[in-house]
Amino acid sequence: MDLYKIVVKYFAAEPGSVKPGEFIPVFHRWIQKHAVEGMLIDVADYGHLPGGPGVVLVAHEADYFVDTMEGPLGLLYNRKAPSQGRLSDRIASAFRAALGACVKLETEPEFQGRLKFRAGEALFLSNDRLNAPNTDEAFQALRSDLAAALAKVYPSNVEVRRVSDDPRARLTVQVNSREPVPDVTTLLARLG
Amino acid sequence: MTQTWKERLGDRIPADLAREIEIFENEIALRKQGKIDEKVFAETRLRRGAYGQRYDNGQRSDGLKTQALTYPSAELTKGPTTLWDAPGMQRIKIPYGGLNPAQLETLAELAEEYSDGILHVTTRQDIQLHYVHIEDTPSLFRRLAAVGVTTREACGNTVRNVTGCPIAGVCRTETFDVTAYARATSKFLLGHKDTQNFGRKFKIAFSGCAGEACGLALLHDVGAVAKVVDGRRGFEFYVGGGLGSVPSQAKLFNEFLPEEELLPMTQAICRVFARLGEKKNRNTARLKFLVNKLGLQEFRKLVLEERKLLTPEPAWTAYLKDLRVTDEKGLKPAQALNGQEKPEGFAEWARTNVYKQRQAGYAVATVSLPLGDFSSRQARLLADVARKHTEGTIRLTVEQNLIFRWVSEADLPALYSDLRAMGLGEPGAGSIVDIAACPGTDTCKLGISSSRGLAGELRTRLAARFHTMDEAVRGLHIKVSGCFNSCGQHHISDLGFYGVSRKKGAYAVPHFQVLVGGQWENNAGAYGLAVIAVPSKNIPEVVDRMTTAFLKERQKDESFKSWIQRIGKAKVRSMLEDLTTIPAHESDPSFYSDWRDPREYSNGDMGIGECAGEVVSPIDFGLAAAEREAFEAQLTLDAGDYRKAADQAVHSMATAAKELVLTKSPGTEKLPDVIREFRDKFVEPKLFWDPFAGGKFAQYFFHAVEHPIATPTADSVHRLVEEAQLFIEAAHSCRLKL
């Protein structure tokens, strides 16, 4: 499957403890310091829209959202540029980038320990209705690659479930670890 | 094998649009091979609505320094100083703002897959997506074409989106429904051979009546206001209007243009514009300049001559046989909103967001879109609402909102609940909290200050006390532009703001010019003028003071505009004067950042000075004097002394020019010397130069001193004062570069 527009989201453990606007200075600082991978361009603020994309760190290769559109507030990584390797590698790479951003955010001084991400739960989305629309057929077609990638993040056991069958929506898969996971730092370490 | 959108959509795309998209796809390939000149490619993509966006020159100030943005296709450009890989803005034409649910759903998909999940409604009923890669555009165009939407001629020197009153057909005061006429005009002129050789863009608007603002006909190149004479349908027909840096009220071309003459007369105007309109200097290339240059009488004569030469086209009148093609009706039977239980907040929402149609039992419901934005998810939910409560029709408005028409009144509580569930149930449509703003420094290359940041801040503050606000204040309009170009339509609001910058010591400080005296009603019946520049962070206080004073001082039912006229702009200025003070950087650095952007503000790539000395240089005093003179010219204009006001306006420009000249040629005092030195040392070396407007503002000065107005009129002096203000703003920008 020729899918590279991959989205991964991790939810904040306590979404009400932080506001999207608090991420604006953090993302601007990331641009100053080239703090995450990719060519970072700008910060877009959509905090005025309830249930919207929140605050976006726009980059050439991928965007980082503090998102409230795909469920409660969380870090959403949205790959835009083509990436190399097998699909399972591309998915693993997206998880790595998302988790890297989560780990970094948790340690930013602005949040003073208020921000933690739920490591045992994630969303995987295909942002490509041509190659992987929201159908059961597409879900089954990418399932083995998704499983291979998830095996690196959650080696013991994981449950995956297609979230909705609305054909207009993006193919969205809920990922739940079947056993407790301490934190996102642990997950990131597993991906190397 | 992987499919492409071209293969997937196949014959669902009309042949002409398919060919058009294929041509553009080929042009992309050729540009990548270097076989099309970048300037040609730029115009070609603009004509498809693919616009540049801020930082697309590969540079961005991060608040500490200017960073180079090193894109993979480093050397490749999609226009002069516009890098290939830099994200761009995609404008999508929505004629008269009319959409159906399938189109809205497609727009949502595109926002997710090619943009950042946001759909932005513009002040001309377009949809804009931001951060789009140029190589995604052919697929994006195909997916739009498959649902009957085109981006063709959404930008560039073309006929832009044809706008129309969003409540046409259901309005209680309209003469007749203009929708079918707007639709026919849009279709007729799209790609027409007579509209392909303009020197500048061309905008058309339709209004159903003269009294309401909905169509804004008077600020367009061509404005048509519905009229019936002796039982015949036609239009009060206007030409040469426009906002931009120097706004111009449209002139009455024809008191009654019969409906069958609408398309041929518009075509004739297009031909005269293409033939005689300015082509080299884009700053004087809009139709308004041609009408002013020729005079309305001569322009009309040329158009009528051109009209006689036209070869009749069937399309001129074919649509008249089926004017009901755009008619809508209710999905549900008309039913009054009677005793049923209402959800919490409904009454307040209905008070501002519901308009009773002239068809009893039906209503228009307005969805207030914060800053004109809605998310892809909300777009799908709005499509559901359209299907549930209407026959599947949606309109976008020039106030950057979305409306549902033909809603059975009895359905309004349920519709409100649906909107509230998706976070779009806020009241205040068309009120002081419903602030229009252009993209400004968020994404626009020309933005000087953060218009969306300011609008968002004002909206939040005003919404917090909306429920207790006096009705007179609730009804005011606020509009914000990021620069003088007026995409936020700052001239036609009670309180308008446009972005400028000032210098304080070694720092640039974001400011907004405050405009008063504009009018939204009567199809944008009056344009405001700037009275004072205030730091961005003090603008909320400007709004508080102005609205408080208005409430305290207004007489009976006096409007805001009338109140301003009565108290005079000098009093307005004195009321706000203390707000121009900028605290030292050390004591309050917040003044040196813009709203919702914590970066140290910079205009262009200017770095932060090492020494934040507080010594005020002579040029700062001089430019302040020039500003004061321009303001005095405005007061004199208001008093009706046009000759004196014209002289003051010209003098204010001369003062500003002299102050700049003195920095390079000390001792230059006499006007001829100032003009010469200004030309040689500032204009020729492009130091007095705007990245967008080029040398336009310098030309205002040269023209004013070389061709004084022989017979000053209210209009001509209003324009001159506006030019003087812009010239002085340009002098401030130039001063930042010194």
Side-chain angles (χ1 to χ4, degrees), chain A residues 61-166:
Chain A
E61 299 82 358
D63 296 335
Y64 298 84
F65 292 73
V66 176
D67 174 78
T68 59
M69 190 159 75
E70 302 294 341
L73 186 143
L75 184 284
L76 184 149
Y77 172 84
N78 175 36
R79 180 76 195 184
K80 301 187 291 187
S83 50
Q84 301 301 311
R86 294 170 300 178
L87 178 56
S88 60
D89 293 335
R90 297 198 290 268
I91 296 172
S93 174
F95 270 89
R96 187 181 299 111
L99 287 164
C102 289
V103 168
K104 190 145 190 58
L105 281 173
E106 284 186 350
T107 57
E108 289 295 345
E110 278 88 346
F111 302 119
Q112 297 179 324
R114 283 182 295 135
L115 177 62
K116 292 284 174 199
F117 289 94
R118 293 207 299 265
E121 180 188 356
L123 281 186
F124 164 89
L125 290 87
S126 151
N127 196 20
D128 181 347
R129 290 173 175 83
L130 183 69
N131 287 299
N134 189 21
T135 61
D136 195 52
E137 185 188 8
F139 178 44
Q140 296 308 331
L142 64 75
R143 202 161 180 162
S144 62
D145 286 297
L146 179 61
L150 289 175
K152 296 175 188 168
V153 194
Y154 303 101
S156 50
N157 205 349
V158 74
E159 180 188 17
V160 293
R161 178 178 60 84
R162 197 171 143 226
V163 169
S164 141
D165 56 7
D166 181 348

Side-chain angles (χ1 to χ4, degrees), chain B residues 694-713:
Chain B
K696 174 167 82 168
F697 302 128
Q699 293 308 320
Y700 290 162
F701 173 50
F702 294 139
H703 189 269
V705 291
E706 287 160 9
H707 306 284
I709 300 176
T711 315
T713 62

Side-chain angles (χ1 to χ4, degrees), chain B residues 22-217:
Chain B
E22 203 163 288
I23 288 169
F24 184 54
E25 198 165 39
N26 292 338
E27 286 168 339
I28 286 178
L30 289 171
R31 176 65 202 142
K32 287 174 84 174
Q33 295 165 26
K35 291 178 181 169
I36 292 184
D37 175 75
E38 62 177 8
K39 282 184 183 167
V40 175
F41 184 76
E43 179 61 15
T44 228
R45 71 173 159 76
L46 286 169
R47 286 181 184 225
R48 272 83 173 187
Y51 224 79
Q53 201 174 300
R54 203 168 180 87
Y55 315 125
D56 65 9
N57 63 353
Q59 291 200 323
R60 177 183 181 274
S61 168
D62 66 10
L64 298 175
K65 62 183 182 305
T66 297
Q67 281 197 19
L69 303 175
T70 49
Y71 292 101
S73 304
E75 301 300 316
L76 185 60
T77 59
K78 50 187 175 182
T81 71
T82 308
L83 297 175
W84 187 260
D85 282 319
M89 179 270 279
Q90 181 62 52
R91 184 176 295 152
I92 299 162
K93 280 171 118 172
I94 311 294
Y96 58 87
L99 278 172
N100 63 42
Q103 291 168 335
L104 193 55
E105 286 162 350
T106 298
L107 287 164
E109 290 182 3
L110 303 181
E112 280 169 347
E113 292 182 42
Y114 305 123
S115 176
D116 56 4
I118 288 290
L119 299 105
H120 177 71
V121 179
T122 75
T123 54
R124 295 204 70 257
Q125 297 174 310
D126 300 287
I127 289 280
Q128 283 181 185
L129 306 177
H130 291 94
Y131 304 105
V132 176
H133 195 285
I134 186 71
E135 291 183 45
D136 284 333
T137 55
S139 293
L140 187 153
F141 296 165
R142 288 191 172 100
R143 295 170 76 176
L144 285 172
V147 289
V149 176
T150 180
T151 69
R152 188 169 178 192
E153 296 169 8
C155 301
N157 300 328
T158 58
V159 177
R160 301 292 185 86
N161 194 34
V162 175
T163 58
C165 172
I167 55 170
V170 300
C171 174
R172 297 194 303 267
T173 58
E174 73 182 359
T175 307
F176 57 81
D177 183 355
V178 294
T179 309
Y181 300 92
R183 179 176 182 264
T185 306
S186 178
K187 286 167 86 86
F188 176 64
L189 295 177
L190 182 70
H192 195 286
K193 62 179 170 44
D194 289 339
T195 65
Q196 304 303 303
N197 189 28
F198 293 163
R200 202 73 171 85
K201 60 189 171 185
F202 191 91
K203 296 178 178 175
I204 301 174
F206 285 82
S207 287
C209 58
E212 301 297 328
C214 320
L216 301 177

Side-chain angles (χ1 to χ4, degrees), chain B residues 322-434:
Chain B
D322 191 14
L323 286 173
R324 306 200 65 176
V325 68
T326 52
D327 278 5
E328 296 168 19
K329 61 182 194 304
L331 176 71
K332 314 255 186 83
Q335 194 179 341
L337 178 62
N338 285 323
Q340 73 245 58
E341 200 172 320
K342 321 273 191 321
E344 191 190 337
F346 174 79
E348 184 70 16
W349 173 80
R351 200 151 75 87
T352 51
N353 291 43
V354 170
Y355 172 88
K356 278 175 90 72
Q357 293 186 191
R358 72 164 181 270
Q359 296 86 359
Y362 288 106
V364 176
T366 300
V367 184
S368 303
L369 301 175
L371 306 183
D373 291 345
F374 57 118
S375 71
S376 54
R377 179 173 288 262
Q378 287 168 332
R380 280 191 284 275
L381 294 170
L382 289 167
D384 291 340
V385 169
R387 290 191 178 102
K388 183 174 163 189
H389 295 292
T390 77
E391 276 201 316
T393 52
I394 299 154
R395 298 248 182 141
L396 308 175
T397 77
V398 295
E399 291 181 281
Q400 300 180 292
N401 288 326
L402 181 150
I403 62 172
F404 296 112
R405 302 138 51 97
W406 289 100
V407 179
S408 177
E409 286 181 12
D411 276 0
L412 286 168
L415 185 145
Y416 168 70
S417 295
D418 289 342
L419 294 180
R420 206 171 61 164
M422 68 176 93
L424 291 176
E426 287 298 308
S431 76
I432 192 168
V433 301
D434 195 10

Side-chain angles (χ1 to χ4, degrees), chain B residues 387-553:
Chain B
R387 290 191 178 102
K388 183 174 163 189
H389 295 292
T390 77
E391 276 201 316
T393 52
I394 299 154
R395 298 248 182 141
L396 308 175
T397 77
V398 295
E399 291 181 281
Q400 300 180 292
N401 288 326
L402 181 150
I403 62 172
F404 296 112
R405 302 138 51 97
W406 289 100
V407 179
S408 177
E409 286 181 12
D411 276 0
L412 286 168
L415 185 145
Y416 168 70
S417 295
D418 289 342
L419 294 180
R420 206 171 61 164
M422 68 176 93
L424 291 176
E426 287 298 308
S431 76
I432 192 168
V433 301
D434 195 10
I435 301 169
C438 69
T441 49
D442 277 16
T443 49
C444 177
K445 293 206 264 192
L446 311 176
I448 296 172
S449 304
S450 176
S451 41
R452 277 167 61 86
L454 174 62
E457 183 66 23
L458 291 177
R459 184 183 171 96
T460 303
R461 291 182 186 216
L462 292 166
R465 50 194 171 90
F466 185 69
H467 299 284
T468 56
M469 209 177 261
D470 189 279
E471 204 61 44
V473 172
R474 277 188 178 202
L476 299 181
H477 291 96
I478 297 179
K479 295 183 185 293
V480 190
S481 299
C483 75
F484 50 79
N485 279 303
S486 199
C487 297
Q489 302 177 334
H490 55 257
H491 291 101
I492 56 168
S493 54
D494 297 292
L495 274 169
F497 303 101
Y498 75 85
V500 295
S501 63
R502 291 288 183 272
K503 203 167 183 193
K504 168 84 170 173
Y507 297 91
V509 183
H511 277 61
F512 280 91
Q513 279 283 7
V514 181
L515 284 87
V516 292
Q519 188 184 30
W520 173 252
E521 294 75 16
N522 299 317
N523 273 298
Y527 294 157
L529 276 172
V531 289
I532 197 165
V534 173
S536 297
K537 293 295 170 76
N538 276 341
I539 295 295
E541 176 62 20
V542 169
V543 174
D544 283 352
R545 280 194 195 177
M546 295 291 291
T547 52
T548 304
F550 170 56
L551 267 188
K552 196 172 155 196
E553 297 176 12

Side-chain angles (χ1 to χ4, degrees), chain B residues 704-722:
Chain B
V705 291
E706 287 160 9
H707 306 284
I709 300 176
T711 315
T713 62
D715 268 1
S716 62
V717 179
H718 189 285
R719 193 161 53 246
L720 187 63
V721 170
E722 187 92 28

